[in-house]
Amino acid sequence: MASAIEMAGEVRAHRGGAVDRITAALAAARVTNRLCGAYIELLEEDAVEQARRVDRIVRDPAAPDLPLAGVPVGIKDNICLDRGRTTCGSRMLENYRSAFSATVARRLMEAGAVVIGKTNLDEFAMGSSTEHSAFGPTRNPWDPSRVPGGSSGGSAAAVAAGDIPVALGSDTGGSIRQPASLCGVVGVKPTYGRVSRYGLVAYASSLDQVGPMAGCVADAALVLDVISGEDGLDSTSASRPGESFTADLERPVDGLVIGVPREGRSLSNHPAVASALERAVEVYRSLGATIVEVGLPMTDHGIAAYYVVACAEASSNLARFDGVRYGRRAEVDPGNSIVDLYRRSRSEGFGAEVKRRILLGTHVLSSGYYDAYYLTALRARRRIKEDFDRALGGSGCHVLLMPAAPGPAFVIGEKTDPLALYMEDVYTVGVNLAGLPAVTIPAGFTQGGTERGTARLPVGVQLIGPAWSEARLLRVARMLERELNLPTVAPAMASPTP
Ligand code: GLN
């Protein structure tokens, strides 16, 4: 499929209009939705209307160039849009219509992108499989009996299916990078503060970042160019001089030093993950990079620290969904109290995983447990950050290379124990706790394909850099992508598992 860069170039050069492009993307998305449930809502009419507007602009010689002219995009459904619904994959917001668009969505549309749909996610972005959406699971286009990862599984699946070259996801503990790995696409988690969170429905505010998911590194870089930068509507967005992530992308990094954390070579990794990682190491070595072994000794404590911090923040952020200020209101008898109304609305509106996290978060913040859990988790968070500082700064490494997830896509329904699912995030949560940027890129496949019914599944690797090093990180990612040259669109979804 054409990249976003190619598509926008054609629309700008009047070789094919945006309306045709968008009509074709919508047709593809309808099929993907039937097979994979990648979208919660397709914005059929509105998308064609947006495309008409783009076609008018590109015909106007006085209008500025649109970097994403006529490019179809998907937006994770926890990102507000002033059209369609913003559900967060929850019954609670089943009928919620946002009155405004998130800054990231607005910037994409101003750059000429056309939002064709809102993509599926685990309820309120809590999960690693996109099985926990109130509107049904998303399936992996490489093998529809398997999960796409999560929580941005709909965005990952839509890109992997080839409907759209780019989509937005959000990453609080790995929700861009893990599904990118399981669906064989590129995913970027920016430095905390690089991208505005205005209009992103908050899960854990000190960890959340929006970022691109794309079929290639260059498209991800282009989208990051468009969405990043200070926003007066989000005081945590950093004021930094404008920077281009595309300008220098093709230039390899000279004297590259790559740190490979010992902890990323865990024996519990799936063999395909282990071999993709070693292959990536060899590719970089053959390109002249120096490879050094480093340690991230706090890795094993990341999950515990993350789930305490994330649940604590979530319990506070989700308090607004009470059926009065926000969210679906339960029907209660007139004689009932306001507390009954809150209780019923929240019981009916939230799914089991969200309730589990609100309970956990409330518990760790409650008096008597605050020191034992919450403060301990904050201390661990600091130590995790120091681990990264040491591995990156101290050892002189430009980037760290490790898996994005311990295994490839697993079968839907296979991981019933919440803890087994939390372990999917073992390689991703540290990056959020430390506020760092990271990129997942496809790096190989499982064997599969030999026996009937076993599809080849993609696996990715993750590159992690110091804060604000996205430009270099993407160049390093591009070096590997150029050498491996792997397909990022799944082969036709011929016989979906019912
Ligand atoms: N899987 C992690 C969680 O469930 C990360 C989710 C995310 O990044 N939104 O919290």
Side-chain angles (χ1 to χ4, degrees), residues 480-495:
L480 183 63
E481 177 184 61
R482 193 187 291 119
E483 293 300 310
L484 295 178
N485 195 22
L486 298 173
T488 54
V489 171
M493 290 166 280
S495 51

PDB file of all heavy atoms in Angstrom, residues 480-495:
ATOM      1  N   LEU A 480      17.414   0.223  10.725  1.00  0.00           N
ATOM      2  CA  LEU A 480      17.024  -1.193  10.810  1.00  0.00           C
ATOM      3  C   LEU A 480      15.936  -1.513   9.781  1.00  0.00           C
ATOM      4  O   LEU A 480      15.986  -2.543   9.100  1.00  0.00           O
ATOM      5  CB  LEU A 480      16.526  -1.507  12.230  1.00  0.00           C
ATOM      6  CG  LEU A 480      16.152  -2.963  12.499  1.00  0.00           C
ATOM      7  CD1 LEU A 480      17.367  -3.880  12.364  1.00  0.00           C
ATOM      8  CD2 LEU A 480      15.555  -3.123  13.899  1.00  0.00           C
ATOM      9  N   GLU A 481      14.981  -0.606   9.676  1.00  0.00           N
ATOM     10  CA  GLU A 481      13.879  -0.819   8.726  1.00  0.00           C
ATOM     11  C   GLU A 481      14.419  -0.982   7.306  1.00  0.00           C
ATOM     12  O   GLU A 481      13.987  -1.859   6.556  1.00  0.00           O
ATOM     13  CB  GLU A 481      12.927   0.374   8.787  1.00  0.00           C
ATOM     14  CG  GLU A 481      11.777   0.286   7.796  1.00  0.00           C
ATOM     15  CD  GLU A 481      10.915   1.538   7.818  1.00  0.00           C
ATOM     16  OE1 GLU A 481      11.428   2.644   7.535  1.00  0.00           O
ATOM     17  OE2 GLU A 481       9.724   1.431   8.115  1.00  0.00           O
ATOM     18  N   ARG A 482      15.379  -0.139   6.950  1.00  0.00           N
ATOM     19  CA  ARG A 482      15.931  -0.176   5.593  1.00  0.00           C
ATOM     20  C   ARG A 482      16.600  -1.521   5.316  1.00  0.00           C
ATOM     21  O   ARG A 482      16.443  -2.095   4.246  1.00  0.00           O
ATOM     22  CB  ARG A 482      16.932   0.966   5.428  1.00  0.00           C
ATOM     23  CG  ARG A 482      17.313   1.211   3.966  1.00  0.00           C
ATOM     24  CD  ARG A 482      18.430   2.241   3.831  1.00  0.00           C
ATOM     25  NE  ARG A 482      18.030   3.586   4.187  1.00  0.00           N
ATOM     26  CZ  ARG A 482      18.586   4.288   5.179  1.00  0.00           C
ATOM     27  NH1 ARG A 482      19.544   3.786   5.924  1.00  0.00           N
ATOM     28  NH2 ARG A 482      18.181   5.515   5.419  1.00  0.00           N
ATOM     29  N   GLU A 483      17.316  -2.044   6.319  1.00  0.00           N
ATOM     30  CA  GLU A 483      18.012  -3.324   6.122  1.00  0.00           C
ATOM     31  C   GLU A 483      17.053  -4.503   6.086  1.00  0.00           C
ATOM     32  O   GLU A 483      17.206  -5.412   5.290  1.00  0.00           O
ATOM     33  CB  GLU A 483      19.038  -3.547   7.250  1.00  0.00           C
ATOM     34  CG  GLU A 483      20.196  -2.590   7.234  1.00  0.00           C
ATOM     35  CD  GLU A 483      21.009  -2.646   5.946  1.00  0.00           C
ATOM     36  OE1 GLU A 483      21.381  -3.764   5.534  1.00  0.00           O
ATOM     37  OE2 GLU A 483      21.258  -1.579   5.348  1.00  0.00           O
ATOM     38  N   LEU A 484      16.067  -4.505   6.984  1.00  0.00           N
ATOM     39  CA  LEU A 484      15.183  -5.674   7.086  1.00  0.00           C
ATOM     40  C   LEU A 484      14.110  -5.670   6.002  1.00  0.00           C
ATOM     41  O   LEU A 484      13.711  -6.719   5.503  1.00  0.00           O
ATOM     42  CB  LEU A 484      14.509  -5.728   8.465  1.00  0.00           C
ATOM     43  CG  LEU A 484      15.428  -5.953   9.658  1.00  0.00           C
ATOM     44  CD1 LEU A 484      14.617  -5.928  10.951  1.00  0.00           C
ATOM     45  CD2 LEU A 484      16.163  -7.282   9.535  1.00  0.00           C
ATOM     46  N   ASN A 485      13.603  -4.490   5.704  1.00  0.00           N
ATOM     47  CA  ASN A 485      12.633  -4.339   4.624  1.00  0.00           C
ATOM     48  C   ASN A 485      11.483  -5.355   4.724  1.00  0.00           C
ATOM     49  O   ASN A 485      11.212  -6.105   3.788  1.00  0.00           O
ATOM     50  CB  ASN A 485      13.391  -4.484   3.287  1.00  0.00           C
ATOM     51  CG  ASN A 485      12.560  -3.990   2.133  1.00  0.00           C
ATOM     52  OD1 ASN A 485      11.646  -3.190   2.344  1.00  0.00           O
ATOM     53  ND2 ASN A 485      12.835  -4.472   0.935  1.00  0.00           N
ATOM     54  N   LEU A 486      10.823  -5.377   5.875  1.00  0.00           N
ATOM     55  CA  LEU A 486       9.759  -6.359   6.121  1.00  0.00           C
ATOM     56  C   LEU A 486       8.397  -5.808   5.687  1.00  0.00           C
ATOM     57  O   LEU A 486       8.171  -4.605   5.749  1.00  0.00           O
ATOM     58  CB  LEU A 486       9.696  -6.683   7.613  1.00  0.00           C
ATOM     59  CG  LEU A 486      10.949  -7.310   8.221  1.00  0.00           C
ATOM     60  CD1 LEU A 486      10.797  -7.425   9.723  1.00  0.00           C
ATOM     61  CD2 LEU A 486      11.194  -8.673   7.606  1.00  0.00           C
ATOM     62  N   PRO A 487       7.480  -6.685   5.294  1.00  0.00           N
ATOM     63  CA  PRO A 487       6.134  -6.211   4.969  1.00  0.00           C
ATOM     64  C   PRO A 487       5.407  -5.801   6.254  1.00  0.00           C
ATOM     65  O   PRO A 487       5.579  -6.441   7.288  1.00  0.00           O
ATOM     66  CB  PRO A 487       5.463  -7.440   4.349  1.00  0.00           C
ATOM     67  CG  PRO A 487       6.207  -8.602   4.912  1.00  0.00           C
ATOM     68  CD  PRO A 487       7.611  -8.133   5.156  1.00  0.00           C
ATOM     69  N   THR A 488       4.626  -4.728   6.184  1.00  0.00           N
ATOM     70  CA  THR A 488       3.873  -4.327   7.383  1.00  0.00           C
ATOM     71  C   THR A 488       2.370  -4.490   7.181  1.00  0.00           C
ATOM     72  O   THR A 488       1.600  -4.249   8.100  1.00  0.00           O
ATOM     73  CB  THR A 488       4.174  -2.874   7.797  1.00  0.00           C
ATOM     74  OG1 THR A 488       3.937  -2.034   6.675  1.00  0.00           O
ATOM     75  CG2 THR A 488       5.600  -2.697   8.268  1.00  0.00           C
ATOM     76  N   VAL A 489       1.968  -4.886   5.986  1.00  0.00           N
ATOM     77  CA  VAL A 489       0.536  -5.131   5.783  1.00  0.00           C
ATOM     78  C   VAL A 489       0.327  -6.641   5.753  1.00  0.00           C
ATOM     79  O   VAL A 489       1.053  -7.375   5.070  1.00  0.00           O
ATOM     80  CB  VAL A 489       0.025  -4.462   4.492  1.00  0.00           C
ATOM     81  CG1 VAL A 489      -1.399  -4.905   4.179  1.00  0.00           C
ATOM     82  CG2 VAL A 489       0.077  -2.941   4.636  1.00  0.00           C
ATOM     83  N   ALA A 490      -0.658  -7.104   6.509  1.00  0.00           N
ATOM     84  CA  ALA A 490      -0.925  -8.539   6.613  1.00  0.00           C
ATOM     85  C   ALA A 490      -1.408  -9.074   5.272  1.00  0.00           C
ATOM     86  O   ALA A 490      -2.108  -8.369   4.546  1.00  0.00           O
ATOM     87  CB  ALA A 490      -1.971  -8.790   7.693  1.00  0.00           C
ATOM     88  N   PRO A 491      -1.059 -10.337   4.965  1.00  0.00           N
ATOM     89  CA  PRO A 491      -1.608 -10.928   3.739  1.00  0.00           C
ATOM     90  C   PRO A 491      -3.134 -10.962   3.833  1.00  0.00           C
ATOM     91  O   PRO A 491      -3.678 -10.935   4.934  1.00  0.00           O
ATOM     92  CB  PRO A 491      -1.021 -12.343   3.740  1.00  0.00           C
ATOM     93  CG  PRO A 491      -0.386 -12.551   5.066  1.00  0.00           C
ATOM     94  CD  PRO A 491      -0.201 -11.234   5.724  1.00  0.00           C
ATOM     95  N   ALA A 492      -3.786 -11.023   2.716  1.00  0.00           N
ATOM     96  CA  ALA A 492      -5.262 -10.945   2.695  1.00  0.00           C
ATOM     97  C   ALA A 492      -5.873 -11.836   3.764  1.00  0.00           C
ATOM     98  O   ALA A 492      -5.427 -12.947   4.009  1.00  0.00           O
ATOM     99  CB  ALA A 492      -5.754 -11.374   1.317  1.00  0.00           C
ATOM    100  N   MET A 493      -6.873 -11.282   4.412  1.00  0.00           N
ATOM    101  CA  MET A 493      -7.504 -12.019   5.521  1.00  0.00           C
ATOM    102  C   MET A 493      -8.511 -12.999   4.934  1.00  0.00           C
ATOM    103  O   MET A 493      -9.712 -12.797   4.979  1.00  0.00           O
ATOM    104  CB  MET A 493      -8.166 -11.040   6.466  1.00  0.00           C
ATOM    105  CG  MET A 493      -7.179 -10.222   7.234  1.00  0.00           C
ATOM    106  SD  MET A 493      -7.983  -8.853   8.016  1.00  0.00           S
ATOM    107  CE  MET A 493      -8.114  -7.702   6.677  1.00  0.00           C
ATOM    108  N   ALA A 494      -7.970 -14.074   4.354  1.00  0.00           N
ATOM    109  CA  ALA A 494      -8.802 -14.972   3.538  1.00  0.00           C
ATOM    110  C   ALA A 494      -9.878 -15.695   4.324  1.00  0.00           C
ATOM    111  O   ALA A 494     -11.053 -15.596   4.006  1.00  0.00           O
ATOM    112  CB  ALA A 494      -7.903 -15.961   2.819  1.00  0.00           C
ATOM    113  N   SER A 495      -9.483 -16.418   5.360  1.00  0.00           N
ATOM    114  CA  SER A 495     -10.507 -17.202   6.051  1.00  0.00           C
ATOM    115  C   SER A 495     -10.521 -16.860   7.529  1.00  0.00           C
ATOM    116  O   SER A 495      -9.849 -17.500   8.336  1.00  0.00           O
ATOM    117  CB  SER A 495     -10.232 -18.690   5.874  1.00  0.00           C
ATOM    118  OG  SER A 495      -8.888 -18.931   6.221  1.00  0.00           O
TER     119      SER A 495
END
